[in-house]
Structure formats: C-alpha cells, structure tokens
Amino acid sequence: MNFSVTILGSNSAIPSLSRNPSAQWLNAAERIFLIDCAEGTQLQLRRFHLHFQRIKHILISHLHGDHYYGLMGLLTTFHLLGRKEILHLYGPPELSDIVNLQLEVSLTRLLYPLEFHPLVSAEPEMIFTDERVEVTAFPLLHSIPTYGFLFREKIRLRNYPACRSYAYCSDTAYDESIIPLIKGVDLVYHEATFHTELQEQARNRLHSTAAEAATIALKCGAGKLLIGHFSARYDSIQPLLDEARAVFPETIAASDGETIQIFSKH
Ligand SMILES: [Zn+2]
C-alpha cells in the first residue's frame, strides 16, 4: 500500500517560478492528507496530476500566509466541482472565522459539509485515527501558534512487518523538545529556511538552518530527512543540502512535483 509524500511547494514565504510556498500531498496508506495550502496549491495539484477530490483532510500548521493563502481557492473549487463528500479541516481556531467570513461575504453556501477541528492543545494530541492511520498534532516553536504532524501507519500484516511513519515539522526554530515524539520516524520533513551563514536571522525569526534540521534528524534517529521551506534568496539549494548532509547524510531536498516513497527503516 502506498505511503508517499508529494511536494507541492518547497519555498518559504515568497513564491518563485520553480518553487511554490508550503503544501504537501501525503498518501498515507491511501488516505490523502493535504498538509498546508499556500497560494497556488490548487494549480500545483493540477500541474502534478493529483486528483484533488481525493483529499479528505486538510491540515494547516499555522496562520502565516505562506501556509494557507491557497485554502479559500481550493475550498471554493471543491464547491464549484460539485463536491458532496465531507472535508475535514484542522488548524488554529481563528482559521474557522477566517473561512466563514469569506464564505459569508461572497454569499457562498458550500455544497459539501466542512468540518472544522481546532488545534489548541499545548501537548501532543491525536487528531485522527482509523484502522490504517493515526495522526498526532504537536506544538512547534515559532512566532505564532504552530503545529507539526506525525502520521503513523497502524496495520501490522505478515507482509508489512513494520509500520511506516512521517513527521512534518514546519515552521519551527531548533527545538529538541520534539525529539521524543518523533523518535525513530522513517521520514522527517524539517524546515531549513536558511544556511548557517544566516544563523542569526534564523534565530530571530524562529526558523531553522539546514544544519539544525539535520541535527534534529540525527538526534531522533530518523530514517531519512527531507528539508524544505527554503528562503527565496537561494537560487540553488545545493549549499543547504551539503550543509545538512555533513550532519545527516540521508538528507534529500524537497523539490516541487517530486514524490518521495516512505519506507520502514526497521
Ligand atoms: Zn512559513
């Protein structure tokens, strides 16, 4: 069964022609989760031929625009395409007001049920579970309330001796308190907005450097590290990749449109 992540955006705040801001399509044992939804996400879904009515859950990590400015457009497109199926939306509590106000002023009554699940807990909290997958939200260290997400496969069949897992950590300053929670994860996505040359800037803005992302991956014993949320100042992200690999060799850099299969490291 498929367990993979497709990158819809790998830049931080400012989009560029080759890198959109944050969004990821996660296929977790055929459950489709959209993680963050920057502006232009629905165009990325089309560009990469992803059948977006398959999305049942949208998770918004925090309310900086580069993580949700594409949400209204996508919700409206679902409506215009005649979606009937329920959509689950997870995010900070204010997101519900933001969405409802925009629907209200445009006199839009969605054709499908939209169920909102506010993220408020200061502790890790299971936000979704079924017979195949479990999703936990956990607080990250950023300038406004921000959540990371941990996805764990549950089925243990004879042919699947170990369950696969994926952690999404963006945006965040270097924060070792997340390590126990994501210990042994098969693939960790961790933001790497800056090169170490801009360590000061990373610290001031509560972002991470590539070396810090790699240190988290190393300390949590991850199978692989995926870095992303790159500052638009970098035309080439090779220096960031080199920096991370010096600490944690099993690092790959997010690239828009690329799909990464997640394998159990056990
Ligand atoms: Zn961001």
Side-chain angles (χ1 to χ4, degrees), residues 1 29 131-133 153-157 160-164:
M1 210 171 287
E131 72 278 14
R132 285 191 204 161
V133 184
E153 196 177 23
K154 287 164 79 179
I155 296 178
R156 281 182 181 272
L157 298 175
Y160 294 93
C163 297
R164 295 165 289 185

Side-chain angles (χ1 to χ4, degrees), residues 11-13 21-22 36 61-62 64-67 142 170-171 191 193 207 229:
N11 246 17
S12 56
S22 294
D36 282 334
S61 63
H62 65 300
H64 280 150
D66 58 320
H67 295 259
H142 198 39
S170 187
D171 296 0
E191 72 134 285
T193 309
H207 282 301
H229 198 268

Side-chain angles (χ1 to χ4, degrees), residues 79-124:
H79 170 73
L80 295 172
L81 293 176
R83 181 183 180 117
K84 296 274 182 291
E85 207 187 338
I86 188 165
L87 181 74
H88 296 275
L89 176 62
Y90 307 76
E94 298 84 353
L95 183 59
S96 159
D97 301 334
I98 293 168
V99 168
N100 286 332
L101 178 63
Q102 296 197 60
L103 292 174
E104 221 171 279
V105 295
S106 63
L107 301 180
T108 305
R109 181 172 292 181
L110 294 177
L111 290 171
Y112 59 92
L114 178 63
E115 192 173 326
F116 185 67
H117 306 263
L119 302 177
V120 289
S121 178
E123 300 294 325

